[in-house]
Amino acid sequence: MTGSEGARTPIGSAFCARPARSVARALLGRWLITAFDGVETIGRIVETEAYLGAADDASHAAARIGRTQRNASMFAPGGIAYVYRSYGVHWCLNVVTGQEGHAAAVLIRAVEPVTGEEAMRLRRRKGRTLPTAALGRGPGNLTAALGITGAQDGHPLDRTPLVLARGMPIDPRAIAVGPRIGITRAVDLPLRFWVRGHPCVSRNRT
């Protein structure tokens, strides 16, 4: 079931124009709605990581890197998708935050399947044998399940075929906070947010 129609309402750019840390927490429970080749899929966001821009040494837009062709979408105003390929294999989706030129973003690390599970299974390699909770667990897996690729880099997230929607916000008491995963710089910053105990969260489920 997809819940009320209100949950499908696109989130305006003002939601994303705030600091990445605030947006990363507020994104939990929101929906990602995709519509590719006539197939709709919906994933409910259950895990995020904030990347703070030039001052964050783990960011793709850290001061030591600056603006490049790869990270150009990060410098757009909040509410734009930044999609990059990780290790030449997996696409990863980020929600750009803050003001134009700031280059902060939130990595979406995991989603809970809401609609279109069969399509998600078909898109995921070996998806037929995966438990439902694993379909959108991990940033590369969720983009595969939802059909997101580099073609959506720079896409405004308030319009099809990739929409960030109101969804069903999480009770703040159910949100856990800790260090980010899979990075080698700024490893101790508490910039990862997840729904405590949720089976779709990618790692360290508590």
Side-chain angles (χ1 to χ4, degrees), residues 14-28 48-54 56 59 74 78-79 94-99 102-108 180 190-193:
F15 176 95
C16 299
R18 299 173 293 160
R21 189 192 307 262
S22 298
V23 176
R25 181 187 289 270
L27 280 172
L28 296 177
T48 62
E49 286 180 347
Y51 289 86
L52 308 183
D56 182 353
S59 171
M74 294 185 74
N94 297 257
V95 175
V96 176
T97 66
Q99 303 301 310
H102 184 61
V106 175
L107 172 67
I108 310 302
R180 295 172 293 191
L191 295 174
R192 176 173 167 252
F193 303 84

Side-chain angles (χ1 to χ4, degrees), residues 7-190:
R8 303 173 65 93
T9 302
I11 291 176
S13 58
F15 176 95
C16 299
R18 299 173 293 160
R21 189 192 307 262
S22 298
V23 176
R25 181 187 289 270
L27 280 172
L28 296 177
R30 310 299 180 171
W31 285 1
L32 287 171
I33 305 176
T34 63
F36 299 116
D37 300 320
V39 177
E40 180 180 84
T41 52
I42 301 176
R44 188 184 189 209
I45 299 171
V46 295
E47 183 182 3
T48 62
E49 286 180 347
Y51 289 86
L52 308 183
D56 182 353
D57 212 28
S59 171
H60 286 180
R64 61 189 169 82
I65 299 172
R67 183 168 183 156
T68 68
Q69 183 176 356
R70 181 198 196 201
N71 68 20
S73 292
M74 294 185 74
F75 292 81
I80 298 296
Y82 166 48
V83 184
Y84 68 90
R85 194 184 285 276
S86 177
Y87 301 109
V89 179
H90 304 293
W91 294 109
C92 296
L93 170 66
N94 297 257
V95 175
V96 176
T97 66
Q99 303 301 310
E100 184 173 5
H102 184 61
V106 175
L107 172 67
I108 310 302
R109 283 203 58 89
V111 299
E112 172 190 4
V114 175
T115 293
E117 181 176 329
E118 183 63 20
M120 295 184 194
R121 291 189 178 280
L122 291 172
R123 289 169 178 162
R124 284 289 313 275
R125 195 168 85 172
K126 300 181 180 178
R128 290 289 186 187
T129 61
L130 289 173
T132 298
L135 289 174
R137 182 190 294 155
N141 293 331
L142 75 89
T143 54
L146 296 175
I148 298 167
T149 70
Q152 284 73 58
D153 183 42
H155 176 76
L157 290 169
D158 60 354
R159 66 196 68 172
T160 192
L162 172 58
V163 175
L164 176 62
R166 183 179 299 168
M168 297 174 288
I170 300 295
D171 185 329
R173 295 171 295 182
I175 297 175
V177 183
R180 295 172 293 191
I181 296 172
I183 57 175
T184 58
R185 299 172 183 266
V187 295
D188 296 326
L189 296 178

